[in-house]
């Protein structure tokens, strides 16, 4: 039996559209063991009802496990597998639940069958299935990552240092938005001035986090590539952004394609920010949960193993 945990992730962080992502201490845990035959997947936690109603073979966890089995040529019908899923990551809210499921299936199968796959190979498998590298990379590697593709379509990444006293306040509204739909809301072309705006903010954000330069976070997390087209789908969010920025305590952005919102701040300010988030959503008629999380620096990790 093996047990692994995969962190949730928040992508974009404002200006780093499709390339910056941060792993969070909120987890998808998978326990995998061999059974006589067949496939059993049991769910607990976030999305358990939805996933239990799905055909097992159609779940991302199984599809990604199967990718590894196919790669090693193992005939899955010879042995059965039981996967127990304990999920803390809210689904379809912009916290990378799909990426965590995919990485979980791949790493889980690789660890279970003791197959040596490099991070590069695992990321390639993951991206062949679905998902975005700005979630996939931090879910596997942990921390704040900048993911990019080379001109030969090879996935590469670099890890950016984050301050230990960084806190991520996450407001999770009680409605869902699909990333696919939210991508359709984006324009195909953008003005050069908007591109320059984002280039400057994303470089500023990386520099601010590396140097614990808290004062510039509010400006550093501004974006003009995707948020202006997505915020109309989320009541109260414009007001929330303004109020949080006005405190001068934090930066704020959509988490991935939303509807969750993240605010990056220094430990000590999290309560003030949480209150603004809750109150503003409530004023707009939206019920939300607010979590205060830390960055996960481990990425996907084996947490138990027994023969
Ligand atoms: N970067 C993606 C987007 C979402 O904003 O559409 C998460 O991978």
């Amino acid at each position: 039996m093996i047990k692994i945990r995969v962190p949730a992730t928040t992508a974009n962080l404002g200006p780093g559209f499709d390339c910056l992502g941060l792993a969070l201490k909120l987890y998808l845990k998978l326990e995998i063991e061999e059974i006589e035959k067949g496939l059993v997947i049991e769910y607990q936690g976030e999305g358990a009802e939805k996933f239990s109603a799905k055909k097992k073979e159609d779940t991302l966890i199984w599809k990604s496990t199967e990718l590894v089995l196919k790669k090693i040529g193992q005939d899955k019908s010879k042995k059965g597998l039981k996967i127990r899923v304990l999920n803390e990551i809210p689904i379809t809210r912009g916290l990378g639940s799909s990426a965590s499921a995919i990485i979980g299936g791949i790493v889980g199968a690789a660890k279970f069958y003791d197959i040596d796959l490099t991070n590069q190979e695992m990321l390639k498998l993951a991206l062949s299935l679905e998902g975005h590298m700005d979630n996939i990379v931090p879910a596997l590697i942990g921390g704040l990552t900048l993911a990019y593709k080379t001109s030969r379509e090879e996935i590469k990444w670099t890890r950016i240092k984050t301050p230990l006293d960084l806190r991520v306040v996450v407001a999770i509204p009680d409605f869902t938005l699909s990333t696919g739909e939210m991508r359709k809301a984006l324009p195909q072309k953008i003005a050069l001035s908007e591109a320059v705006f984002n280039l400057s903010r994303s470089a500023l954000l990386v520099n601010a986090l590396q140097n614990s330069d808290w004062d510039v976070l509010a400006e550093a997390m501004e974006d003009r590539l995707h948020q202006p087209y997505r915020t109309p789908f989320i009541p109260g969010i414009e007001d929330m952004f303004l109020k949080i920025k006005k405190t001068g305590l934090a930066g704020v952005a959509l988490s991935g394609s939303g509807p969750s919102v993240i605010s990056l701040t220094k430990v000590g300010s999290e309560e003030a920010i949480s209150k603004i988030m809750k109150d503003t959503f409530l004023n707009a008629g939206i019920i939300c949960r607010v979590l205060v999380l830390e960055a996960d620096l481990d990425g996907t990790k084996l947490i138990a193993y027994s023969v």
Side-chain angles (χ1 to χ4, degrees):
M1 186 276 292
I2 64 138
K3 197 169 173 179
I4 60 162
R5 70 168 200 210
V6 190
T9 51
T10 180
N12 300 332
L13 291 106
F17 180 66
D18 275 359
C19 53
L20 283 178
L22 174 67
L24 301 170
K25 286 190 177 174
L26 184 74
Y27 298 101
L28 169 73
K29 292 174 186 155
L30 300 183
E31 209 176 281
I32 306 178
E33 61 183 321
E34 213 160 67
I35 52 173
E36 274 312 304
K37 62 176 189 163
L39 167 67
V40 177
I41 309 185
E42 290 176 358
Y43 295 93
Q44 275 181 54
E46 296 284 336
E49 262 179 41
K50 182 181 165 187
F51 293 124
S52 304
K54 239 180 161 177
K55 211 171 138 211
K56 284 171 294 195
E57 285 75 7
D58 290 342
T59 60
L60 280 176
I61 288 179
W62 176 246
K63 283 188 188 169
S64 50
T65 303
E66 208 174 25
L67 279 182
V68 177
L69 296 181
K70 276 188 187 144
K71 194 169 166 71
I72 58 168
Q74 178 140 354
D75 181 354
K76 69 176 192 311
S77 63
K78 278 188 189 156
K79 291 169 190 166
L81 216 53
K82 180 168 172 178
I83 307 176
R84 211 170 286 133
V85 181
L86 176 59
N87 183 26
E88 299 171 355
I89 309 172
I91 55 170
T92 344
R93 305 293 165 86
L95 290 167
S97 59
S98 301
S100 303
I102 294 171
I103 290 295
I106 291 172
V107 177
K111 299 268 186 223
F112 187 77
Y113 293 106
D114 206 11
I115 306 154
D116 243 346
L117 291 177
T118 62
N119 285 339
Q120 196 80 36
E121 287 170 319
M122 290 196 275
L123 291 172
K124 204 169 162 194
L125 282 180
L127 283 172
S128 73
L129 197 56
E130 191 198 283
H132 298 274
M133 61 180 184
D134 49 350
N135 285 121
I136 294 276
V137 170
L140 179 66
I141 308 295
L144 174 63
T145 55
L146 169 77
Y148 61 101
K149 275 189 186 164
T150 64
S151 45
R152 291 183 186 165
E153 293 291 294
E154 213 186 328
I155 309 151
K156 289 199 171 173
W157 67 91
T158 185
R159 214 164 115 160
I160 297 150
K161 204 178 101 207
T162 48
L164 285 177
D165 43 4
L166 174 71
R167 292 296 175 272
V168 185
V169 190
V170 190
I172 308 157
D174 66 347
F175 67 93
T176 60
L177 286 177
S178 97
T179 299
E181 288 303 312
M182 286 301 97
R183 288 184 89 81
K184 285 186 197 153
L186 304 181
Q188 290 307 303
K189 289 189 176 165
I190 50 144
L192 189 60
S193 57
E194 311 291 41
V196 171
F197 183 95
N198 268 58
L199 282 172
S200 62
R201 277 12 179 227
S202 51
L204 188 63
L205 176 59
V206 167
N207 192 56
L209 289 171
Q210 281 183 331
N211 296 313
S212 298
D213 199 355
W214 304 101
D215 294 347
V216 301
L217 274 187
E219 278 185 323
M221 288 178 73
E222 289 174 340
D223 158 80
R224 287 197 185 156
L225 293 192
H226 66 108
Q227 292 185 168
Y229 310 98
R230 290 169 162 173
T231 48
F233 293 86
I234 308 167
I237 196 171
E238 297 283 4
D239 191 25
M240 185 190 297
F241 279 16
L242 282 177
K243 284 181 178 153
I244 292 178
K245 280 179 167 177
K246 221 170 147 188
T247 65
L249 296 172
V252 62
L254 268 185
S255 184
S257 58
S260 296
V261 180
I262 54 149
S263 178
L264 301 187
T265 191
K266 188 179 175 179
V267 67
S269 302
E270 61 272 34
E271 266 185 39
I273 302 297
S274 302
K275 187 168 168 11
I276 295 175
M277 286 177 154
K278 252 189 212 151
D279 292 350
T280 327
F281 263 148
L282 206 61
N283 277 342
I286 304 288
I287 295 169
C288 73
R289 277 183 277 172
V290 177
L291 304 177
V292 177
L293 301 170
E294 289 178 35
D296 164 281
L297 300 180
D298 294 328
T300 299
K301 191 177 169 185
L302 185 68
I303 50 175
Y305 175 83
S306 66
V307 280

